[in-house]
Amino acid sequence: MFILIVLLMSISLIGIIAVQLYWINNAVESKKAQFKNDVQKSLGAATEKVNERERAEFEKKLKSFVDVKGFADKAELKSFLIEQIDTVTKEKITLGSTFLEENFKLPADFLDNDSIILKRITGKKDFSIATRYKSAENLFPTIDVKKYSFIKRYTDLEKSYMEDAFTSSKSLKPIHDRISNNVLNRTIKEELIKRNINLDFKYGVYSADGLATKLKSGYYTINTKESFPYPLFRDTEGNTSYYLNISFPRENEHILSGISSILLLSLFFIFIIIMAFSSSLFQLIRQKKISEIKTDFINNMTHEFKTPIATINLALDSIKNPKILGDDAKVLRYVEMIREENKRMHSQVENVLRISRLEKNQIDLNTETIDLHDTIEDAIRHVSLLSEDRDGKIETHLEALESELPGNQFHLTSIVVNILENAIKYSEGAPKIEVYTESTSKFFIFKIKDSGIGMNKSVQKQVFNKFYREQKGNIHDVKGHGLGLAYVKEIVDKHHGTVFVESEKGVGSTFTVKLPLI
């Protein structure tokens, strides 16, 4: 069930994050498409303005020259006659038109040292004659009027000669003489601002062959992935020889800024979901671990209590024996045994209650100035019998120059005793323990080094956790409840100090306690 819950939660979290990322990606792509569309519209409007501006300036200059300064090198009055038969009404339709054809030679000063021949055609008069015919033999060949589209009205002829002159002048000028960088830059900027694109941009005009022109903003090179191309100076048929390329260095920032609020909100909720999932998973694992530790603790406590209770029962049964009652020495021996076992159980219960009260801040650590060297020597005396019973030896190297600090005498003595007892219990053969002290300007440091069985890295990370004991299957080689080092850490933390262990499997362990002098 635990694995199933974790699996379902993981799948749900991955699914939610995937949906959110998909939505964010779609929003960004939509903004990019909108931005591209706005840029294309802006470039279209800008190039149209540039084209219209060039045409207007040329027509104004040309019209002024022809009307005021110009004269025709050659003029000729021409006429055309078109006849067509309408077989339904049996009428012959005759269309006639006359126009004046004038040739002008534009001098060099008009087109910057270039010259062209301009032909102006001006309509004079149109007329038509309709005649009814009598028989089919008198029919004229049918003529399609569309084939004679070169006969135009006055306005069309006026536009024609203007267009011819404009096209000829464009082909003679380089593109940088047709428009300046300042005008092009200003026109592009105006059109972009109209569509709320207030971004710095770079542009360059390139020929259809990919050759750069002098029209560009500083140093510019084409980047096909980041630039937006648009045709410039298209002719009447939509063809062009030049392309305007524009790019935006801060394009991505502009796109993201449009959805920044929603994007941040989405990322915030994703973060909350991840944190909630991680917290839930952590709590599940923690509760599972605590459940296992408590089960192990209850089993250990039951086993630890079972032995003294059995011993007490045997002692009481022995005292009841009439043979024993008459032997005062044996009675006193059994009474002493009962007292020791009872004391042992009381000590175990007291350890559990003490660690519980510490966690709930129910123990008031009254501090006073104490000498840690004296405290360490007192603790060594407490465990000396245990060490001597196994032919062990405890050596001291008390080299700290400053050993007085504010602390609780009872609890500091207890933590030293706990560490020393562990060093004795987890030593194979005769325990060999060394105690070192040293001091700095701010801290008193003592180390307790043993030559016991040692610990691997994974055990070192958990050794100060409450109820933790290194497992070897279902067997504990050394009795205990995993509370001693948890108590040590709690007391050291209460004194604003730190404790850590360095160990190697099969070599031994070194516990280091660092306490502030002030």
Side-chain angles (χ1 to χ4, degrees):
M1 182 60 67
F2 175 78
I3 295 174
L4 180 61
I5 290 173
V6 172
L7 182 62
L8 292 176
M9 289 176 66
S10 301
I11 293 173
S12 300
L13 178 63
I14 293 170
I16 291 171
I17 293 175
V19 170
Q20 287 290 321
L21 293 178
Y22 175 77
W23 179 87
I24 291 172
N25 182 65
N26 278 355
V28 171
E29 291 300 324
S30 176
K31 280 291 180 181
K32 283 183 177 180
Q34 181 181 346
F35 178 77
K36 182 178 180 180
N37 186 51
D38 290 341
V39 171
Q40 292 289 343
K41 287 181 179 180
S42 301
L43 293 180
T47 54
E48 188 64 30
K49 274 190 176 182
V50 169
N51 292 343
E52 290 176 357
R53 179 179 179 276
E54 183 187 33
R55 183 182 294 274
E57 289 180 354
F58 180 83
E59 290 181 356
K60 181 179 179 182
K61 187 175 180 181
L62 177 61
K63 191 172 182 63
S64 174
F65 175 82
V66 173
D67 293 343
V68 179
K69 299 180 181 180
F71 58 91
D73 294 336
K74 182 182 178 182
E76 185 178 356
L77 189 65
K78 296 183 178 182
S79 63
F80 284 87
L81 187 68
I82 302 174
E83 292 180 326
Q84 187 174 14
I85 300 299
D86 188 342
T87 58
V88 179
T89 60
K90 296 184 178 182
E91 288 184 338
K92 178 175 70 176
I93 302 171
T94 304
L95 302 176
S97 179
T98 61
F99 58 89
L100 178 65
E101 183 180 283
E102 300 171 280
N103 292 329
F104 292 88
K105 183 178 181 181
L106 301 182
D109 61 348
F110 182 79
L111 294 170
D112 301 329
N113 299 323
D114 289 312
S115 62
I116 61 173
I117 300 299
L118 169 66
K119 179 179 288 188
R120 182 172 69 174
I121 301 174
T122 308
K124 288 297 182 180
K125 186 180 180 181
D126 297 327
F127 60 90
S128 64
I129 301 172
T131 306
R132 189 175 297 275
Y133 62 92
K134 293 182 179 180
S135 63
E137 290 82 2
N138 296 324
L139 285 175
F140 289 93
T142 302
I143 301 172
D144 187 357
V145 179
K146 294 181 181 180
K147 292 182 180 180
Y148 295 89
S149 59
F150 56 84
I151 300 178
K152 301 180 180 179
R153 303 295 301 166
Y154 172 76
T155 53
D156 295 331
L157 295 172
E158 186 77 12
K159 291 180 180 178
S160 177
Y161 93 84
M162 284 288 188
E163 185 64 37
D164 291 341
F166 181 59
T167 303
S168 299
S169 68
K170 289 195 299 183
S171 64
L172 298 172
K173 282 186 177 183
I175 191 169
H176 58 270
D177 287 339
R178 296 169 63 184
I179 186 172
S180 66
N181 266 313
N182 289 335
V183 173
L184 183 57
N185 184 77
R186 184 174 65 251
T187 306
I188 295 172
K189 189 172 185 180
E190 289 173 355
E191 293 302 323
L192 288 173
I193 290 174
K194 287 181 182 178
R195 291 165 180 81
N196 297 320
I197 302 177
N198 298 305
L199 291 177
D200 293 333
F201 61 88
K202 293 183 178 181
Y203 70 88
V205 178
Y206 287 77
S207 67
D209 298 329
L211 299 176
T213 68
K214 293 183 179 180
L215 287 177
K216 59 182 178 179
S217 55
Y219 179 76
Y220 180 83
T221 54
I222 294 180
N223 187 330
T224 55
K225 292 183 178 180
E226 298 178 359
S227 63
F228 298 88
Y230 203 87
L232 183 65
F233 293 128
R234 285 187 291 190
D235 57 24
T236 55
E237 297 179 358
N239 299 320
T240 184
S241 298
Y242 299 98
Y243 285 89
L244 169 63
N245 290 270
I246 185 171
S247 62
F248 301 87
R250 299 178 63 186
E251 176 187 344
N252 291 334
E253 294 179 22
H254 174 76
I255 292 171
L256 292 177
S257 65
I259 58 171
S260 58
S261 57
I262 299 177
L263 179 62
L264 290 174
L265 191 62
S266 179
L267 293 175
F268 175 70
F269 284 126
I270 289 177
F271 175 76
I272 289 178
I273 292 171
I274 292 175
M275 292 300 297
F277 172 76
S278 301
S279 177
S280 300
L281 187 59
F282 173 77
Q283 291 297 329
L284 282 171
I285 295 173
R286 185 169 179 269
Q287 291 300 324
K288 184 173 182 293
K289 183 178 178 180
I290 288 174
S291 177
E292 292 173 352
I293 289 173
K294 284 184 176 180
T295 301
D296 186 54
F297 168 74
I298 292 170
N299 291 336
N300 285 333
M301 181 66 77
T302 303
H303 181 75
E304 290 290 334
F305 280 172
K306 186 183 292 183
T307 301
I309 289 172
T311 303
I312 291 172
N313 285 333
L314 287 174
L316 290 173
D317 289 341
S318 298
I319 292 174
K320 289 181 189 179
N321 192 323
K323 296 180 180 180
I324 300 298
L325 283 174
D327 191 339
D328 292 339
K330 287 185 178 181
V331 170
L332 289 175
R333 177 186 170 192
Y334 287 126
V335 169
E336 186 64 26
M337 185 183 296
I338 292 171
R339 181 184 292 127
E340 289 296 326
E341 293 299 328
N342 183 66
K343 184 179 178 181
R344 178 181 170 188
M345 285 193 296
H346 177 75
S347 176
Q348 291 171 352
V349 172
E350 187 61 30
N351 281 336
V352 176
L353 294 176
R354 184 187 300 166
I355 198 75
S356 177
R357 288 196 298 269
L358 274 173
E359 286 185 341
K360 296 178 181 179
N361 292 317
Q362 293 177 347
I363 292 181
D364 186 15
L365 292 179
N366 296 318
T367 60
E368 57 183 338
T369 302
I370 59 174
D371 190 321
L372 256 296
H373 282 168
D374 293 340
T375 302
I376 291 171
E377 289 175 349
D378 185 35
I380 292 173
R381 282 194 294 272
H382 275 78
V383 299
S384 59
L385 290 176
L386 292 173
S387 177
E388 290 172 0
D389 187 53
R390 296 179 56 184
D391 299 324
K393 183 171 64 173
I394 301 175
E395 296 181 358
T396 58
H397 307 273
L398 309 181
E399 299 176 356
L401 299 178
E402 181 66 46
S403 60
E404 291 187 349
L405 54 81
N408 184 281
Q409 179 74 46
F410 171 76
H411 288 291
L412 288 177
T413 303
S414 296
I415 68 170
V416 178
V417 169
N418 268 291
I419 297 174
L420 290 171
E421 284 183 344
N422 275 348
I424 294 170
K425 285 193 296 183
Y426 291 99
S427 293
E428 295 178 340
K432 182 180 179 182
I433 303 169
E434 295 176 284
V435 181
Y436 298 87
T437 66
E438 60 182 273
S439 61
T440 64
S441 59
K442 295 182 179 180
F443 295 97
F444 176 86
I445 303 168
F446 71 87
K447 300 179 181 181
I448 298 177
K449 181 179 179 181
D450 64 62
S451 300
I453 60 176
M455 297 174 279
N456 57 37
K457 295 293 183 182
S458 61
V459 175
Q460 292 176 45
K461 293 178 181 178
Q462 304 182 67
V463 73
F464 293 105
N465 293 340
K466 187 173 63 172
F467 303 126
Y468 177 79
R469 300 183 67 225
E470 185 177 4
Q471 300 282 346
K472 293 183 179 179
N474 292 323
I475 301 172
H476 291 299
D477 294 334
V478 181
K479 303 299 181 182
H481 309 301
L483 295 174
L485 292 179
Y487 169 72
V488 169
K489 189 175 187 313
E490 286 287 341
I491 294 299
V492 172
D493 288 344
K494 295 289 184 183
H495 283 80
H496 309 290
T498 56
V499 57
F500 58 91
V501 62
E502 297 171 293
S503 182
E504 185 177 346
K505 196 73 173 176
V507 176
S509 304
T510 301
F511 285 85
T512 302
V513 178
K514 189 176 181 181
L515 298 170
L517 290 171
I518 300 176

